[in-house]
Amino acid sequence: MKTSTARAYANIALCKYWGKRDTILQLPTKSSISVGVSALFSETTVQRHADNHDRILFNGSLALESDAAPIYAFLIIFRNEFGIHDPLFISTRNSFCHAAGLASSASGFAALALALNSFFGLNLLPQQIAQLARRGSGSACRSIKGGFMYWEKGIRADGTDSVVHQIASSYHWPELCILTVLVDSHKKSVSSRSGMQLSMNTSPHYNSWVNKSEMTIPLFIEAIQKKDFKSLAQLTNDEWTSWQQVLATTRPPLHYSQPSTYKIITCIDELQSSGIDCFYTTDAGANVHIFSLKEHAQTIVATLEKLETIQSLIVSTIASDAYLVE
Ligand code: PMV
């Protein structure tokens, strides 16, 4: 039986996407910048389902209704757009735990969009596949290409100018490594989707953060192009701190970080003060992503492994583009 399988990598935002100017088209209120993470990926297989309904598997088991719901919603959009109505059998495997702030929806929807494009022979360009993936989960548009990605917010109501650009490919900065520290593998209590709309509607700092953060985009691009680690560290840290303020002033407040998150952050701050090049960010979850140079990876791992709260530590390089698996 014909199948199409695609692999796409998770991406972690250095400059965050948090809020939509259009919730149907999933258009962001601001631009964002991310990097692909090589050890965090989703592989998704699409084939026709013999029954007259869709079936969705997650890591080999029938998906829970709460996990499958966003995929069903995406399939409605896909079918309306392409006039395709075949019942589908979709099987997704993640190399990491799902929905704990490790960007599984980004890698999952990017892999699904790529697999659907191949399965139905749609011949979409990467930019169009990214725009399709975005309808499943906004940040998924940054996972069709690897390396460093810039998602331009655009201003048009139809979203045609909300496009992704690859700032640099996975080969650009081979010395860089990413350490993902897992402290909590549970599903987050408030999804990014709900959390970002709450922040937009209630945080008094939201608009000033959006404006200030948008202005840093050219600085992020320059730091990445020049492989200027110190500037990238400073920019990412400033961005994370102001985004945390938005989360804390959302009503009710969004507490994605946990005491274990802060222990890791304190450790990284100390390593940084001792002269080790490293910086961190988190997504909407308690886990921490640390960026450093390969020469420091062992020192950082050895320091973090002394913390009891760590469940696991995943070492990555910068991910390549999403691709079809034969
Ligand atoms: O794509 P979503 O709806 O899962 O939102 C992702 C939001 C963050 O991961 C927190 C930030 C980002 O830019 O990826």
Side-chain angles (χ1 to χ4, degrees):
M1 187 184 276
K2 184 185 168 193
T3 64
S4 285
T5 300
R7 177 188 284 200
Y9 296 90
N11 69 76
I12 301 302
L14 303 175
C15 187
K16 306 291 178 191
Y17 147 60
W18 195 250
K20 304 182 213 294
R21 63 183 170 90
D22 184 315
T23 51
I24 309 279
L25 294 175
Q26 307 246 69
L27 298 172
T29 52
K30 66 178 281 292
S31 305
S32 57
I33 288 188
S34 65
V35 57
V37 186
S38 70
L40 308 182
F41 57 85
S42 303
E43 263 185 25
T44 300
T45 300
V46 170
Q47 61 188 76
R48 270 193 191 84
H49 194 208
D51 290 348
N52 63 356
H53 60 271
D54 298 322
R55 170 160 293 202
I56 300 172
L57 300 191
F58 255 128
N59 293 330
S61 312
L62 203 60
L64 299 174
E65 206 166 310
S66 57
D67 290 334
I71 300 181
Y72 285 123
F74 174 77
L75 288 177
I76 293 174
I77 294 167
F78 173 75
R79 288 182 166 125
N80 283 343
E81 193 143 333
F82 295 97
I84 289 169
H85 299 287
D86 313 37
L88 293 173
F89 183 90
I90 296 172
S91 173
T92 290
R93 286 183 184 277
N94 288 336
S95 68
F96 56 95
C97 72
H98 152 76
L102 291 183
S104 58
S105 60
S107 53
F109 278 109
L112 178 57
L114 192 60
L116 287 169
N117 177 53
S118 155
F119 187 76
F120 291 108
L122 301 175
N123 293 321
L124 300 177
L125 299 169
Q127 188 69 257
Q128 294 170 305
I129 303 172
Q131 291 189 327
L132 173 61
R134 189 193 74 215
R135 302 293 303 275
S137 166
S139 58
C141 67
R142 299 186 313 232
S143 277
I144 297 298
K145 290 273 181 189
F148 291 88
M149 293 299 291
Y150 160 35
W151 176 16
E152 192 180 351
K153 70 177 174 125
I155 49 169
R156 285 193 211 130
D158 65 2
T160 47
D161 59 349
S162 187
V163 288
V164 287
H165 310 268
Q166 190 177 49
I167 303 167
S169 80
S170 57
Y171 301 109
H172 172 66
W173 204 339
E175 306 84 5
L176 204 70
C177 67
I178 307 164
L179 309 173
T180 299
V181 191
L182 225 83
V183 293
D184 181 11
S185 48
H186 294 105
K187 202 170 169 153
K188 54 203 174 207
S189 55
V190 183
S191 67
S192 315
R193 191 172 290 229
S194 323
M196 60 176 76
Q197 291 317 107
L198 259 185
S199 293
M200 264 183 85
N201 295 336
T202 63
S203 168
H205 294 285
Y206 185 80
N207 290 335
S208 59
W209 168 69
V210 165
N211 295 333
K212 200 179 120 205
S213 175
E214 187 73 35
M215 278 160 55
T216 65
I217 292 280
L219 306 177
F220 270 99
I221 295 175
E222 192 185 342
I224 291 164
Q225 283 170 342
K226 289 187 174 161
K227 301 209 280 183
D228 179 347
F229 192 93
K230 288 202 174 1
S231 298
L232 193 58
Q234 189 62 56
L235 287 162
T236 306
N237 186 263
D238 292 349
E239 163 73 3
W240 186 80
T241 310
S242 12
W243 180 55
Q244 291 301 304
Q245 195 189 21
V246 170
L247 299 183
T249 52
T250 296
R251 290 292 168 260
L254 294 167
H255 296 299
Y256 292 118
S257 298
Q258 291 176 6
S260 45
T261 313
Y262 294 110
K263 276 199 180 141
I264 295 162
I265 286 173
T266 307
C267 231
I268 298 305
D269 285 342
E270 283 167 10
L271 282 166
Q272 216 175 31
S273 309
S274 73
I276 301 228
D277 285 325
C278 53
F279 64 90
Y280 58 81
T281 191
T282 61
D283 265 352
N287 305 311
V288 184
H289 303 275
I290 299 161
F291 296 81
S292 187
L293 300 172
K294 282 179 185 161
E295 61 191 270
H296 300 311
Q298 267 315 317
T299 313
I300 299 174
V301 169
T303 310
L304 291 174
E305 274 176 350
K306 291 186 195 133
L307 299 177
E308 278 161 14
T309 41
I310 288 182
Q311 288 180 1
S312 62
L313 219 157
I314 306 165
V315 182
S316 298
T317 51
I318 300 179
S320 65
D321 297 351
Y323 63 94
L324 292 170
V325 181
E326 291 318 327

